[in-house]
Amino acid sequence: MLEISIIIPAYNEQRRLPSTLEAVHAYLTARRTSFEILVVDDGSTDATAAEAEAFRRGHPEMRLLRNPGNRGKGYSVRHGMLE
């Protein structure tokens, strides 16, 4: 059973997302807790989704969700919470 879910809403974050994911993953791994990381792509026009997918390949506890277009941070957080 999961102990914690981290939701990261992301819009055009291709440059910052990889380092953020590495830092969050390292922090949670060091705590030895069961976790998942949900990146919610909010209709990005850059390679945000591709960066998330690349990270996901080596980290099965990460999932990528996609919004149908740019809906905003609140929508993205809610989308992640409902998952």
Side-chain angles (χ1 to χ4, degrees), residues 12 22-23 30 43 54 74 76 81:
N12 290 342
E22 288 291 343
S76 298
M81 291 294 294

Side-chain angles (χ1 to χ4, degrees), residues 3-15:
E3 293 181 51
I4 189 167
S5 295
I6 301 294
I7 300 166
I8 301 174
Y11 178 72
N12 290 342
E13 294 290 338
Q14 86 177 57
R15 291 166 67 192

